[in-house]
Amino acid sequence: MYSGLLECPVTTRLKKNLNMGYITKESGSCPIRINTSEECFEAARDTLGNNNTIFSQVPLSDPKMPAGCFANSDSTDPLKIKVSFNSVNTTVPCGAGNPTILKGTTQSLVRVGVSLDITKQEVTIDLVGPSDVWFGVGFNAGAMKDSPWTIIVDGSGNVTERKIADQNPGTQLPTSVTVISNTVKNGERSVTVTRPMKGKSSDYYTFDPETNAVLPFINAIGSQPTLSYHKFKTPSSLSILPVDGAVGTCVCAAKPIPFGQGKGTLVYQQTDQPADVGAGAVSFYNECPAYPRCDLL
């Protein structure tokens, strides 16, 4: 339910990040084009990144690329996104040439990397977390109540799949992934799995390059080797983009989101006080019920 309390800055300990103002286009053209390189870079940072994303900015005058703002994953650094602004007024569509490889990596509680091979219709998922306790990642979700398809890696290295529920481990699913590697180094476990992009059923997430380039996910780590109540949890997001060299995903301006329909995260802002050990973030999805409940706080 939407609460007007979210509109009131009652504390400096919570930062509200709203997901609004810009959209991505994997094909076609921008309905509203970004017109300056400065806005392009800011829009890409707001739309595609998080605190751990590294951006590089590339000005272009290339008739073979889309006009305006577009982005690619960097082939040399998985945590870097290359943002380009093309000043030439072209008719080249976003994602022209149907890129065959799209990639993205981000560092949250768990390091998450996703690579889509369009030709093979296969996804490769790389996860890096602590080696002595369990960790997990739920795809296309902002909270456990979204019941996402989730990969769990326990402290012994066992990889399982679950459809989790609100504050509940949910149910274990039949295996759909193939474990390619599972190694431990310097207290970190690195796991690489592959599976078809299309999920086995509605309980599994389907990776679709034609959907939005930004994939939300939740991730958590535990305090013991076996799956149990999490020690830390947080929502995050991952941008899956064509690798540089291919035509990128366009970043476009969008119409303002109507009041009460914004989505985003509340992020705890830690202070320099020794006793302040708070951390984490939580997603919010505004849902305004009918009058008179919409006026109740």
Side-chain angles (χ1 to χ4, degrees), residues 2 6-7 15-22 46-47 257-267 284-286:
Y2 175 75
L6 293 177
E7 301 295 332
K15 179 182 179 182
K16 182 168 66 174
N17 295 327
L18 287 173
N19 303 330
M20 57 191 304
Y22 299 99
D46 289 346
T47 307
I257 297 176
F259 177 81
Q261 297 181 23
K263 301 178 181 180
T265 54
L266 297 174
V267 184
F284 65 86
Y285 299 89
N286 294 334

Side-chain angles (χ1 to χ4, degrees), residues 21-194:
Y22 299 99
I23 59 172
T24 58
K25 290 277 289 183
E26 290 70 41
S27 60
S29 58
C30 286
I32 306 176
R33 187 185 301 171
I34 293 173
N35 293 316
T36 67
S37 59
E38 293 80 9
E39 184 183 5
C40 172
F41 191 62
E42 290 299 320
R45 289 202 306 177
D46 289 346
T47 307
L48 301 175
N50 55 38
N51 292 336
N52 298 295
T53 308
I54 305 168
F55 289 91
S56 62
Q57 189 173 13
V58 182
L60 288 178
S61 295
D62 191 340
K64 298 180 180 180
M65 290 293 178
C69 188
F70 61 92
N72 297 80
S73 62
D74 193 298
S75 58
T76 62
D77 187 341
L79 287 173
K80 184 179 289 185
I81 292 176
K82 185 178 293 185
V83 182
S84 302
F85 180 78
N86 190 11
S87 59
V88 177
N89 187 18
T90 74
T91 58
V92 177
C94 311
N98 299 319
T100 57
I101 302 293
L102 294 87
K103 291 185 176 182
T105 300
T106 192
Q107 179 67 57
S108 186
L109 296 175
V110 178
R111 184 181 173 112
V112 182
V114 172
S115 176
L116 304 183
D117 188 322
I118 308 304
T119 303
K120 295 181 179 180
Q121 286 293 292
E122 184 177 77
V123 56
T124 299
I125 302 171
D126 298 304
L127 304 178
V128 181
S131 62
D132 57 343
V133 297
W134 72 267
F135 60 87
V137 177
F139 293 89
N140 195 35
M144 292 181 69
K145 66 181 180 180
D146 295 327
S147 300
W149 173 71
T150 302
I151 297 177
I152 301 292
V153 182
D154 70 21
S156 299
N158 299 307
V159 179
T160 56
E161 302 168 59
R162 306 187 74 88
K163 184 175 178 63
I164 62 174
D166 190 11
Q167 304 304 314
N168 189 299
T171 57
Q172 185 168 331
L173 298 172
T175 300
S176 71
V177 300
T178 300
V179 179
I180 302 301
S181 66
N182 191 332
T183 60
V184 174
K185 183 178 180 181
N186 298 328
E188 288 188 326
R189 184 179 298 278
S190 300
V191 175
T192 299
V193 301
T194 62

